[in-house]
Amino acid sequence: MLILPRRAVVTAIRASQRLKLSTATGTKSFPSLRNANIPKAVVDLVVIGAGPGGYVAAIKAAQLGLKTVCIDKRGPPGGTCLNVGCIPSKSLLNNSHLYHDVLHDTKRRGIEVSDVKLNMAQLLTAKDNAVNSNTRGVTHLFKQNGVDYYQGAASFADPHTIRVFGNTDTDNNTPAETLLTTKNVIIATGSDVTPFPGITIDEKKIVSSTGALTLREVPRRLVVIGGGIIGLELGSVWARLGAQVTVVEYQDQVGAGMDAEIAKLAQRSLVRQGLKIKTKTKVLSAYEGVDGVISVQVESAKTGAQELLDADVLLVAVGRHAYTSGLGLDTINVERDSRGRITVDEAYRTTPHSHIRAIGDVCTRTPMLAHKAEDEGIAAAEYIAKGHGYVNYDAIPAVMYTAPEVAWVGKTEEQVQAAGIKYRIGRFPFAANARAKTNLMTEGWVKVIADENAHRVLGVHIIGPDAGEMIAEATLAVEYGASVEDIATTTHAHPTLSEALKEAAMAAYIKPIHF
């Protein structure tokens, strides 16, 4: 007797039969696969990828009554974010910040600490524990919501059949290959590290963001190619732990996507912390010498002058690209753009298969952010189950978890200018905020951009303590089309850092009280 995965619908498919599935676009039939020895199951939805977009989509679909399977070849669910991205990097960011503060900041607070030592092994163990706790949490949520999770590589056998290779169902001893016949598919395979031409990543001396999270010792010299969010966050981690960090950025400012004024403030802050930042600089090559030192050849985009930078470790952080390898998209002719991203419409439907949807980093809807993918996962599941879903792409917050943090939502000043919108700006420094002064954390500003006439909030940009938490209120304001008066006349608890947002909103149309 063939035992299929728990909660799966048993089906016997004969070679001469044709299976008919009801889809959103009508009834579609196709030949069944002929290998009777491969276990088969029929489900409502297969989600390929168990990252933030995929696992959230699977859970929401199950909650909406769809028989759902989620597949990921990594093993533990959570995708790049939970395993080798957001979660482990935030563990290192937080704990390296604590270490740095104990070394350099506690004395002025009246706390005398001596014989401070860095236990690198324990720092990495704490990171791994954070990862394991979060991935186990997703596994529990799958079980709680009735999602079948397959650990294996998925590929399209045809538009309605997914072949799963390797490993097993987490709840059942499933053979190494399984066929899933499904009415709907959500592709949520995320993104991978973008390589740098001519530089080979070995994850030991020349590392990606993944390798930078597992270094066993602090490098004396670290060169980072790329001054975006990932490069600056990881660069700041190792700088706090004692590395001499040099960041090389081709653009004229760091922090891709940031408001230019805030980006300049962030760069100044990081430089004061000891990072060397070279903007308008092009990397020509990198090679490892016989002494193990990596030589990075760079060139000034302005003058053409060249320079050699020596590094014990080189971090390549020049971005990420859509990951579709092994999916068999060419087999079913799924349309992609010139950058390899799956093209989708407003309901995340792919071309030419409306029952196949794509979300998160792998699709053409930007930006590449975990929380954006989560919201798309919910929306895609709702489109399948209900026919409607919602994500407001004008209200997607972003955060850089350096110290101070940088967070923003809505339009930058440059975007408002380019759109020809008449606007006004309100600014308020944390140096004038009572809680920030009390906490001895006064670096940074809140910047609010509002429409000149209606005073509607167009964008909020924060550099300062707990900016990543404060941005939630600003995101709600943008989502609901609030005016700066709405924020300013809303009572904020005192003393709190959030009062800085209230005062910046006030400054956008009259004057703040405390500055």
Side-chain angles (χ1 to χ4, degrees):
M1 176 181 290
L2 180 65
I3 300 177
L4 294 175
R6 188 176 67 231
R7 297 185 300 271
V9 180
V10 179
T11 180
I13 306 178
R14 298 179 179 178
S16 60
Q17 290 181 323
R18 295 175 67 86
L19 180 66
K20 294 186 178 181
L21 291 174
S22 175
T23 68
T25 57
T27 300
K28 180 178 180 64
S29 63
F30 55 87
S32 63
L33 296 174
R34 297 177 180 275
N35 191 341
N37 295 321
I38 300 175
K40 304 175 180 72
V42 176
V43 297
D44 296 315
L45 171 65
V46 169
V47 179
I48 305 175
Y55 85 72
V56 169
I59 290 171
K60 173 51 68 174
Q63 290 174 346
L64 293 172
L66 300 179
K67 171 59 185 172
T68 304
V69 168
C70 186
I71 308 166
D72 197 296
K73 67 180 182 180
R74 185 184 301 275
T80 294
C81 179
L82 270 63
N83 286 279
V84 292
C86 314
I87 298 305
S89 67
K90 300 314 167 284
S91 173
L92 291 181
L93 281 159
N94 182 67
N95 292 336
S96 65
H97 189 203
L98 290 174
Y99 172 71
H100 187 269
D101 277 357
V102 170
L103 283 178
H104 304 288
D105 195 49
T106 57
K107 188 173 183 179
R108 67 174 180 145
R109 299 173 183 274
I111 305 170
E112 299 282 353
V113 182
S114 60
D115 195 28
V116 180
K117 297 179 181 179
L118 175 64
N119 185 332
M120 197 67 215
Q122 184 56 40
L123 195 76
L124 294 177
T125 296
K127 170 194 62 106
D128 293 340
N129 288 341
V131 169
N132 293 335
S133 175
N134 279 276
T135 57
R136 285 196 302 268
V138 176
T139 299
H140 170 74
L141 290 171
F142 278 160
K143 293 179 180 179
Q144 179 176 294
N145 289 280
V147 175
D148 285 322
Y149 178 51
Y150 286 66
Q151 297 178 358
S155 65
F156 284 92
D158 61 47
H160 283 276
T161 306
I162 308 297
R163 179 178 273 115
V164 186
F165 296 95
N167 297 331
T168 62
D169 180 339
T170 54
D171 291 327
N172 300 276
N173 200 14
T174 307
E177 183 177 352
T178 303
L179 293 177
L180 299 172
T181 298
T182 182
K183 299 176 183 179
N184 302 280
V185 180
I186 294 177
I187 302 172
T189 47
S191 60
D192 198 3
V193 172
T194 298
F196 192 95
I199 298 178
T200 301
I201 293 174
D202 61 16
E203 300 297 14
K204 295 178 182 178
K205 300 281 288 185
I206 301 178
V207 301
S208 68
S209 56
T210 300
L213 297 170
T214 58
L215 298 177
R216 308 308 298 183
E217 59 184 28
V218 180
R220 188 166 69 88
R221 295 161 300 185
L222 172 68
V223 172
V224 181
I225 304 178
I229 306 303
I230 294 174
L232 295 178
E233 286 186 348
L234 292 175
S236 69
V237 165
W238 294 105
R240 292 171 192 164
L241 297 179
Q244 299 173 16
V245 176
T246 301
V247 178
V248 182
E249 170 56 48
Y250 183 72
Q251 302 297 327
D252 58 1
Q253 72 172 48
V254 297
M258 284 185 197
D259 180 271
E261 181 182 15
I262 299 298
K264 289 178 182 178
L265 294 174
Q267 180 170 330
R268 290 174 192 165
S269 176
L270 292 171
V271 169
R272 284 197 298 269
Q273 294 172 41
L275 280 78
K276 296 179 181 178
I277 299 179
K278 294 178 175 291
T279 55
K280 300 181 182 179
T281 303
K282 180 180 181 180
V283 174
L284 300 177
S285 64
Y287 56 90
E288 185 176 350
V290 293
D291 55 358
V293 175
I294 300 169
S295 296
V296 184
Q297 187 176 19
V298 301
E299 179 182 87
S300 170
K302 183 177 182 180
T303 66
Q306 295 187 5
E307 180 183 3
L308 272 182
L309 305 175
D310 289 336
D312 301 293
V313 173
L314 173 63
L315 167 58
V316 179
V318 293
R320 300 183 67 84
H321 65 276
Y323 183 79
T324 59
S325 178
L327 287 178
L329 298 184
D330 290 336
T331 302
I332 58 173
N333 300 314
V334 170
E335 183 180 285
R336 280 157 285 175
D337 70 0
S338 60
R339 295 169 56 184
R341 301 175 301 178
I342 299 173
T343 56
V344 295
D345 65 9
E346 70 285 350
Y348 312 105
R349 292 172 296 209
T350 65
T351 302
H353 306 292
S354 61
H355 71 286
I356 300 175
R357 301 172 196 256
I359 62 170
D361 290 1
V362 78
C363 79
T364 48
R365 303 301 294 266
T366 56
M368 285 184 166
L369 292 170
H371 44 278
K372 188 270 297 190
E374 289 184 351
D375 286 350
E376 287 179 337
I378 292 173
E382 290 179 335
Y383 271 118
I384 293 170
K386 300 179 178 181
H388 56 82
Y390 174 79
V391 176
N392 181 358
Y393 289 92
D394 291 326
I396 305 289
V399 184
M400 182 171 77
Y401 296 89
T402 49
E405 291 182 350
V406 182
W408 64 96
V409 67
K411 297 184 183 301
T412 65
E413 186 174 356
E414 293 71 38
Q415 290 171 333
V416 172
Q417 290 173 344
I421 300 172
K422 293 183 178 181
Y423 66 97
R424 54 177 62 199
I425 289 178
R427 298 179 182 86
F428 191 83
F430 282 102
N433 174 266
R435 183 65 183 273
K437 288 190 284 187
T438 301
N439 292 350
L440 303 181
M441 300 172 68
T442 56
E443 185 176 9
W445 289 74
V446 177
K447 176 179 180 179
V448 175
I449 305 172
D451 174 81
E452 171 69 31
N453 298 316
H455 296 181
R456 182 169 61 89
V457 177
L458 301 175
V460 176
H461 307 269
I462 307 172
I463 177 171
D466 289 343
E469 301 297 331
M470 289 178 59
I471 203 64
E473 179 185 355
T475 303
L476 192 64
V478 174
E479 173 68 32
Y480 282 95
S483 68
V484 287
E485 288 94 337
D486 291 327
I487 297 176
T489 56
T490 297
T491 302
H492 290 62
H494 175 79
T496 60
L497 297 172
S498 65
E499 289 177 285
L501 175 58
K502 174 178 179 173
E503 296 261 16
M506 193 179 297
Y509 74 101
I510 44 174
K511 288 185 177 181
I513 298 297
H514 295 94
F515 180 66

